[in-house]
Amino acid sequence: MTTPHNPSAEDSLIARYFKPLATDPGAFGLVDDAAILSSSGDDIVVTTDAVVEGVHYLATDPPDTIARKALRVNLSDLAAKGAAPAGFVLTLALRGKEDAWLRPFADALGEDAESFACPLLGGDTVSTPGPQMISITAFGRVPRGRMVGRTGARPGDVILVTGTIGDAALGLDVLTGGAVATALAPDPAARDALISRYRIPQPRNVLAQSVRDHATAAMDVSDGLAGDLTKLCAASGVSATVNVASVPLSAAAAGLVARSAICVETLLAGGDDYEVLCTVSSEQSDALMEAGRAVGLAVTAIGTIVAGHERPRFLDGQGQELTLKRLSYSHF
Amino acid sequence: MTTPHNPSAEDSLIARYFKPLATDPGAFGLVDDAAILSSSGDDIVVTTDAVVEGVHYLATDPPDTIARKALRVNLSDLAAKGAAPAGFVLTLALRGKEDAWLRPFADALGEDAESFACPLLGGDTVSTPGPQMISITAFGRVPRGRMVGRTGARPGDVILVTGTIGDAALGLDVLTGGAVATALAPDPAARDALISRYRIPQPRNVLAQSVRDHATAAMDVSDGLAGDLTKLCAASGVSATVNVASVPLSAAAAGLVARSAICVETLLAGGDDYEVLCTVSSEQSDALMEAGRAVGLAVTAIGTIVAGHERPRFLDGQGQELTLKRLSYSHF
């Protein structure tokens, strides 16, 4: 964009790469300092998650996947809260300004913004001498008072989880040359599938309204199923029993477990799943599983909420409690 | 916070330092992934600004001033948009987790959140091996359709600015041992005052409602008065004439200009002022200046909006146009 007004380097970069994404009228084409989320009578759900190069993604990850991951980890939070996406703001801390990185980053971000109906509303672009970082604050809408929290799980509720668990952690292991990389050396298709699960989360926004209609509590699984269920139980003042054999695994993950190439703890405590973990009353669990089937998404019962304040118990196929050395993957 | 649930390092840090700041019911005590901005019939104004160590603040700046600056640069945007603060979310990229840094940071952030009625709603804390970064997304409320934009300036409007211009740029020069440090060596009080202007912006939220009532366009001055006025004019499709002798200066800045220790361009293109720049119809300018007087804040007329698409012209006391080599301070 050439103007006689000599826009700054930052303004030029924003106009070139990000203005085309700012399709919502509340974004004012990114020419203002601020955006508008218009009044609609709905509550606005706000969530913020940042990804840091070398911490949450690898410097060698393709820029289009970095863009998708940065947005999707936030979309995943909205899905678990039962909210419909309404838009996002972006803070981009850049070390360089190469078109070869920014162009695929911006294009992929724009594609995801469109396909998830979550337009770019504004942002800030800053220079950093250190690792790149993308911080996104995303907004969703729910009818007044209807956000699904973490505190509503009650004894007797069924614990449900979407998709499959542990694949992203295996994908990271492949990318960093761990044991999974070796075990899957003869199976490039499985390796690629796991890598894709690490790089490009599949947030479950398609199920958001059903989560809102049926769940008593929900969160997304980002730091590991075991640790995240522990947090949900703590917030609700309850405990839980999980049947580990019921935890849904991909064919690749199940094969690795069957061959004893990995232990199940790697899956339960691995991060980056971005599935929905929720609790529903026993009367409602069929309805949520049916809603999943209707959109082609597995929704699996993995256990039960019980009274108490102990950590959730993870039982194997023989009813023996597994001792998990760790519950979560910590990026911190 | 000790629980049998083994919270992660990040959760412990959040509970220890930031949970006390999350006083709004929509923050859910920071135990959820998301917060709620409740429906009120108002438009929600969203703004996001990040500060990076070594770029927007100095590594040697005290942590309490870093916290205040990170929040206040966002509060300043809300003030210029005519919005009342409603809350903020925080992304904190930390290299270390020392109590000696985090405690004063969190305490000062909490004090500002309370005094500006802008509670912490949520956040994300991530680890970085590089420079620390604080990214804040702040929310304000305006009656529906009443946000003050950049596009409404019209020929004949008076250009007004709050406070004084250029002090923060001089403060940065003092801190980095520039010419101002030398010139002010005998006057530590003046040096301290300028440093304080750099480290702790004074956002003009007290004037927000009057800006909303009277201004045709507004923005905050963050990258330098000359460059920011240029942006406002570009967005409105107009030009401007500024009487440089009318630009309000502090006693310290005026003294430095009088002694020729600095040139006026340093002030006009310096960054980090965080004053409100706005345009008002000539009939309304007295009302806005009076509103400033009522709250003890100088509001000064510095020029006039004129038709055209040229860059704003900056005229000296003799009506001669100054040639500014640069318009803005670029952090980018």
Side-chain angles (χ1 to χ4, degrees):
Chain A
M1 194 173 77
T2 308
T3 80
H5 286 93
N6 186 27
S8 70
E10 181 186 357
D11 292 338
S12 301
L13 188 150
I14 289 169
R16 182 169 183 187
Y17 294 106
F18 297 106
K19 189 175 175 178
L21 281 61
T23 54
D24 190 273
F28 304 109
L30 304 186
V31 300
D32 210 308
D33 294 307
I36 285 285
L37 278 167
S38 61
S39 165
S40 67
D42 289 335
D43 281 345
I44 304 289
V45 176
V46 182
T47 186
T48 189
D49 261 316
V51 295
V52 179
E53 180 188 40
V55 180
H56 304 86
Y57 65 90
L58 303 174
T60 49
D61 284 341
D64 59 319
T65 71
I66 298 167
R68 292 186 201 278
K69 185 166 196 170
L71 182 56
R72 290 176 181 212
V73 301
N74 284 283
L75 287 164
S76 178
D77 280 321
L78 295 180
K81 302 291 103 183
F88 71 103
V89 294
L90 167 74
T91 296
L92 193 54
L94 293 172
R95 198 172 42 246
K97 297 167 224 170
E98 296 81 18
D99 185 73
W101 194 93
L102 279 164
R103 175 53 56 206
F105 180 93
D107 286 350
L109 193 66
E111 286 173 15
D112 268 7
E114 187 172 349
S115 62
F116 287 96
C118 192
L120 178 67
L121 294 176
D124 190 21
T125 311
V126 297
S127 179
T128 177
Q132 304 207 120
M133 172 167 156
I134 303 112
S135 175
I136 284 180
T137 301
F139 310 104
R141 294 184 192 276
V142 290
R144 192 180 297 203
R146 295 289 309 282
M147 187 186 96
V148 183
R150 287 189 184 181
T151 60
R154 293 294 169 258
D157 283 356
V158 178
I159 304 167
L160 298 175
V161 70
T162 59
T164 57
I165 293 296
D167 299 314
L170 300 178
L172 176 59
D173 196 76
V174 170
L175 284 168
T176 54
V180 178
T182 312
L184 289 182
D187 190 350
R191 288 168 51 196
D192 288 351
L194 296 174
I195 289 171
S196 176
R197 287 277 287 169
Y198 172 74
R199 285 181 170 161
I200 309 180
Q202 302 295 330
R204 304 310 188 181
N205 301 78
V206 69
L207 206 67
Q209 185 173 336
S210 298
V211 170
R212 194 170 77 222
D213 288 344
H214 300 296
T216 55
M219 65 186 293
D220 73 331
V221 185
S222 57
D223 296 332
L225 177 65
D228 287 341
L229 177 61
T230 301
K231 291 178 192 174
L232 188 149
C233 285
S236 291
V238 296
S239 187
T241 304
V242 173
N243 308 306
V244 171
S246 302
V247 172
L249 303 183
S250 68
L256 289 164
V257 171
R259 295 157 56 193
S260 298
I262 57 165
C263 61
V264 72
E265 183 177 332
T266 304
L267 307 175
L268 298 179
D272 288 321
D273 289 306
Y274 301 106
E275 298 291 353
V276 174
L277 170 69
C278 65
T279 58
V280 296
S281 71
S282 54
E283 300 79 36
Q284 301 269 308
S285 63
D286 283 348
L288 190 53
M289 288 191 276
E290 177 54 36
R293 273 190 293 274
V295 294
L297 174 62
V299 178
T300 307
I302 61 168
T304 310
I305 296 294
V306 298
H309 292 276
E310 305 76 29
R311 275 192 201 174
R313 299 168 70 220
F314 293 84
L315 306 182
D316 67 15
Q318 286 71 48
Q320 297 294 309
E321 186 171 355
L322 298 176
T323 303
L324 300 179
K325 288 190 288 292
R326 63 186 181 93
L327 300 175
S328 299
Y329 181 80
S330 177
H331 293 112
F332 192 73
Chain B
M1 191 174 79
T2 307
T3 80
H5 286 94
N6 187 28
S8 71
E10 180 185 357
D11 292 339
S12 300
L13 187 150
I14 290 169
R16 183 170 182 188
Y17 295 106
F18 297 107
K19 189 175 175 179
L21 280 60
T23 53
D24 190 273
F28 304 110
L30 304 186
V31 300
D32 209 308
D33 293 307
I36 285 284
L37 278 167
S38 61
S39 165
S40 67
D42 288 335
D43 282 346
I44 304 289
V45 176
V46 183
T47 185
T48 190
D49 260 317
V51 295
V52 179
E53 179 188 40
V55 180
H56 304 85
Y57 65 90
L58 303 174
T60 49
D61 283 341
D64 58 320
T65 71
I66 298 168
R68 292 186 202 277
K69 186 167 195 170
L71 181 57
R72 290 177 180 210
V73 300
N74 284 283
L75 287 164
S76 178
D77 281 321
L78 295 180
K81 300 292 103 183
F88 71 104
V89 295
L90 167 75
T91 296
L92 192 55
L94 293 173
R95 199 172 42 246
K97 297 167 224 170
E98 296 81 18
D99 185 73
W101 195 92
L102 279 164
R103 174 54 55 205
F105 180 92
D107 286 350
L109 193 65
E111 286 172 15
D112 268 7
E114 188 171 348
S115 62
F116 288 96
C118 193
L120 177 67
L121 294 176
D124 190 22
T125 311
V126 296
S127 180
T128 177
Q132 304 208 120
M133 173 167 156
I134 303 112
S135 176
I136 284 180
T137 301
F139 310 104
R141 294 184 192 276
V142 290
R144 192 179 297 204
R146 294 290 309 282
M147 188 185 94
V148 183
R150 286 189 185 181
T151 60
R154 294 292 168 260
D157 283 356
V158 178
I159 304 167
L160 298 175
V161 70
T162 60
T164 57
I165 292 296
D167 299 312
L170 300 179
L172 175 59
D173 196 76
V174 171
L175 284 169
T176 54
V180 179
T182 312
L184 288 182
D187 191 351
R191 288 168 51 195
D192 289 350
L194 295 175
I195 289 171
S196 176
R197 287 278 287 170
Y198 172 73
R199 286 181 169 161
I200 309 180
Q202 302 295 329
R204 304 311 188 181
N205 301 78
V206 70
L207 206 68
Q209 185 172 338
S210 298
V211 170
R212 194 169 78 221
D213 289 344
H214 301 296
T216 55
M219 64 186 295
D220 74 332
V221 185
S222 57
D223 296 332
L225 176 65
D228 288 340
L229 178 61
T230 301
K231 291 178 192 173
L232 188 149
C233 286
S236 292
V238 296
S239 187
T241 304
V242 173
N243 308 306
V244 172
S246 303
V247 173
L249 304 183
S250 67
L256 289 163
V257 172
R259 293 157 55 193
S260 298
I262 57 167
C263 62
V264 72
E265 183 177 331
T266 304
L267 306 175
L268 297 179
D272 288 320
D273 289 307
Y274 301 106
E275 298 291 354
V276 174
L277 170 70
C278 64
T279 58
V280 295
S281 70
S282 55
E283 300 79 34
Q284 300 269 308
S285 63
D286 283 347
L288 190 52
M289 288 191 276
E290 177 54 36
R293 272 191 292 275
V295 295
L297 174 62
V299 177
T300 307
I302 61 168
T304 309
I305 296 294
V306 298
H309 292 276
E310 305 76 28
R311 277 191 200 174
R313 299 168 70 219
F314 292 84
L315 306 182
D316 68 14
Q318 286 71 48
Q320 296 294 310
E321 185 171 356
L322 298 176
T323 304
L324 300 179
K325 287 189 288 293
R326 63 186 181 95
L327 300 175
S328 299
Y329 181 80
S330 177
H331 293 111
F332 192 74

